[in-house]
Amino acid sequence: MKKPIKDVVVFVMSVPGGAAEQLRKYETEIGYPLRILLLLDSKVRSSEKKIESAHADLIVTCDFTKPIKIAEALLPYQDNLLAITCRSEQHMARFAEVLPHVPYLRTPTTQSLVWASDKYEMRKRFRAYDKAITPKFTLVDRNSKEERERVIKKIGFPMIIKPTNMAGSLFVSICYHEEDLDKTLRLILRKIKQAYKKDNRKEDPKIIAEEYMDGDLYSIDSYVDSRGKVYHCPLVKQTTAKKIGRDDFYNYLQMTPTGLKPTTVAKAELVAEKAIHALGLRSSIAHTELMKLDDEWKVVELGARMGGFRHTLHALSCDINHTLNDILIRIPKKPVIPKKCKGFSCAMKWYLPKEGIISEMKGIKRIEQLDSFHSITLNKKVGDRFVFARNGGRSVFNLFLYHADRSKLLADIRRVEKMVEVKVRARNTAKKI
């Protein structure tokens, strides 16, 4: 009897365009065509269905709330399955629901994805594995005088307040006193249910308070195989809004590779591996955010996904095919990571210091003339409302720059900061910001 060809790669809930492109290139290496199967939850209504489906060869829809329906949907392809992945943070809970129905693929465990998707459960696992890698934390049940006093006694000020299941720095706030805490909790509790609903999240909204760490923020993407061996990409230095004087917590600038000493990088990689093993992740990619406090490293959080913008950043600076490596580690094959980088890349998320209606945008076209320009994505236009990340808002634009010379890249970053000019209108008044 002829052995079935393992040619189906399953994506849960979305197929990024770059992923499809890289798999097509990989076909020439393996010598036969692959089929991309997109598995969608029929209960999720999406305005982006055409985008999600554009890069798939097969589209299968079923009701994820009924396990038997998932099993029936995948049954015709079981003998042909090569790998399965999910690239969306907001759909990790759905990915976890699918895994029991692909028992012969190398995948993370369902429980490890739950731990990696919930910051409270994650911190409990870190604390059990190694208390030294995690700050103090506690779950916040409600906004009452008694609950605030309990949280303050346990964590102290300043503290960070954030949802346990959201990415992108949404609703992340720092509190310095009880009035701050009261105001922040009232805001998040008023908006969090709608935000989870908008992201089609299956988890129940929860809020965590944790010790504020005042250090330098870095992150690292890693690949972990089915036996727990970890392969690391270069560290990324992250400059938060707080570091540039904004009252917000989005990542303003991400730059790689860093100028850290090899011994310092090795310490960061060790802490990242501890976090990965604490959650029991396997056959997965992992994105670990780390805080450097003098010579000590703490884990901010870990996700069973690639970090934001990482495929582009690592491809530009080090020729790492992050998207393909995400599939290779699940086949399983060893990920390909070049030993040397050829240059420096950065991603910039442009937010504003004030909320309001955007009335004018200048200088953005001029960015394309810079030597280091790679690409830009506009998320806002004149007439759109701008809202801070801590209030659930998105950036005005996302920008990628690359240069072989680090000093010239830094110079172009400064040029962008000088040339971009945006105005917002608040209460019928145009204000330059």
Side-chain angles (χ1 to χ4, degrees):
M1 185 175 179
K2 190 176 180 180
K3 189 176 180 180
I5 297 175
K6 304 294 185 180
D7 64 344
V8 175
V9 178
V10 182
F11 286 80
V12 178
M13 297 304 294
S14 66
V15 182
E21 179 184 353
Q22 295 306 321
L23 280 174
R24 297 308 177 210
K25 291 180 180 179
Y26 184 58
E27 289 176 340
T28 61
E29 183 177 328
I30 60 176
Y32 61 87
L34 295 173
R35 292 181 289 169
I36 297 174
L37 188 154
L38 173 61
L39 185 63
L40 296 173
D41 186 349
S42 60
K43 293 291 186 180
V44 176
R45 294 182 179 180
S46 174
S47 59
E48 299 182 347
K49 277 281 172 39
K50 289 184 179 179
I51 298 174
E52 293 165 352
S53 306
H55 307 287
D57 302 303
L58 304 163
I59 301 170
V60 177
T61 304
C62 64
D63 184 352
F64 278 34
T65 64
K66 299 176 180 178
I68 193 62
K69 295 297 182 183
I70 301 176
E72 290 173 351
L74 290 173
L75 185 59
Y77 310 98
Q78 283 288 356
D79 291 339
N80 305 107
L81 296 181
L82 177 65
I84 186 168
T85 186
C86 178
R87 289 277 298 273
S88 173
E89 167 74 16
Q90 71 193 68
H91 294 306
M92 280 296 158
R94 289 182 172 84
F95 186 37
E97 289 177 335
V98 174
L99 296 187
H101 307 289
V102 287
Y104 306 116
L105 291 182
R106 288 174 173 82
T107 69
T109 64
T110 297
Q111 194 59 51
S112 69
L113 289 182
V114 172
W115 295 330
S117 299
D118 187 304
K119 294 177 180 63
Y120 179 62
E121 297 300 326
M122 181 191 304
R123 289 240 174 269
K124 289 198 296 184
R125 297 288 301 185
F126 292 162
R127 183 175 60 191
Y129 192 89
D130 184 348
K131 290 181 180 179
I133 68 173
T134 187
K136 292 183 290 185
F137 65 97
T138 188
L139 202 62
V140 183
D141 290 330
R142 59 195 178 281
N143 185 22
S144 67
K145 181 69 174 177
E146 296 77 18
E147 179 69 349
R148 292 197 300 272
E149 288 177 351
R150 181 192 69 80
V151 172
I152 293 168
K153 184 177 180 180
K154 184 163 186 177
I155 306 299
F157 290 115
M159 69 174 71
I160 298 292
I161 301 294
K162 58 187 176 184
T164 61
N165 304 104
M166 299 199 79
S169 303
L170 297 182
F171 298 108
V172 177
S173 300
I174 183 171
C175 299
Y176 292 94
H177 47 72
E178 186 174 355
E179 290 83 356
D180 265 355
L181 181 57
D182 179 29
K183 181 180 178 181
T184 298
L185 289 175
R186 280 191 281 114
L187 172 70
I188 295 178
L189 288 169
R190 187 173 73 248
K191 294 187 174 184
I192 192 170
K193 287 186 178 179
Q194 185 60 34
Y196 271 58
K197 183 178 180 181
K198 183 178 179 181
D199 270 2
N200 293 308
R201 301 201 74 102
K202 294 180 69 68
E203 306 94 339
D204 293 327
K206 291 187 294 185
I207 300 170
I208 190 174
E210 57 188 40
E211 178 185 4
Y212 174 67
M213 299 181 291
D214 190 12
D216 294 321
L217 185 63
Y218 292 82
S219 61
I220 187 168
D221 276 21
S222 314
Y223 315 105
V224 52
D225 69 16
S226 59
R227 296 300 183 93
K229 182 176 175 59
V230 182
Y231 305 85
H232 297 292
C233 293
L235 275 168
V236 175
K237 175 68 183 295
Q238 298 183 184
T239 302
T240 66
K242 198 70 180 174
K243 286 291 185 181
I244 61 170
R246 300 282 177 86
D247 188 19
D248 214 339
F249 263 92
Y250 60 90
N251 283 320
Y252 167 66
L253 189 70
Q254 300 180 56
M255 188 169 175
T256 189
T258 68
L260 295 175
K261 296 184 296 184
T263 53
T264 304
V265 172
K267 289 179 181 179
E269 292 177 345
L270 177 60
V271 171
E273 287 182 29
K274 286 183 176 181
I276 289 168
H277 292 151
L279 301 186
L281 275 180
R282 69 184 191 204
S283 300
S284 178
I285 202 166
H287 170 70
T288 311
E289 292 194 356
L290 302 161
M291 185 71 72
K292 185 176 182 294
L293 304 165
D294 295 324
D295 200 35
E296 184 182 15
W297 292 90
K298 297 276 189 181
V299 181
V300 177
E301 62 185 52
L302 186 154
R305 58 173 177 84
M306 66 176 61
F309 308 139
R310 293 313 154 91
H311 171 68
T312 303
L313 287 175
H314 290 318
L316 287 173
S317 60
C318 303
D319 285 329
I320 295 172
N321 193 331
H322 208 30
T323 294
L324 183 58
N325 281 342
D326 177 47
I327 301 298
L328 293 180
I329 202 68
R330 303 166 197 266
I331 290 178
K333 289 184 179 292
K334 185 178 178 180
V336 180
I337 306 174
K339 292 183 179 181
K340 292 185 178 181
C341 293
K342 61 183 181 180
F344 300 85
S345 61
C346 78
M348 179 184 289
K349 293 173 72 174
W350 193 271
Y351 279 78
L352 308 178
K354 292 184 180 180
E355 295 184 327
I357 305 299
I358 297 175
S359 59
E360 190 174 352
M361 300 171 69
K362 292 182 178 180
I364 294 176
K365 276 290 183 184
R366 291 171 57 198
I367 295 174
E368 298 180 15
Q369 306 306 313
L370 297 174
D371 288 343
S372 60
F373 175 78
H374 175 263
S375 62
I376 188 170
T377 300
L378 288 173
N379 301 320
K380 301 287 184 181
K381 61 182 184 301
V382 172
D384 288 346
R385 180 169 180 77
F386 170 76
V387 178
F388 294 145
R390 70 170 187 267
N391 295 330
R394 310 286 178 171
S395 60
V396 175
F397 63 80
N398 300 329
L399 172 66
F400 291 99
L401 302 174
Y402 166 81
H403 207 287
D405 187 323
R406 185 173 184 271
S407 64
K408 291 182 178 179
L409 175 62
L410 292 173
D412 276 353
I413 291 171
R414 185 58 178 161
R415 291 186 179 101
V416 171
E417 293 170 338
K418 288 287 189 180
M419 69 175 59
V420 173
E421 184 180 31
V422 179
K423 295 179 182 178
V424 296
R425 183 178 68 252
R427 297 180 181 177
N428 299 319
T429 303
K431 295 183 179 181
K432 179 180 176 180
I433 61 175

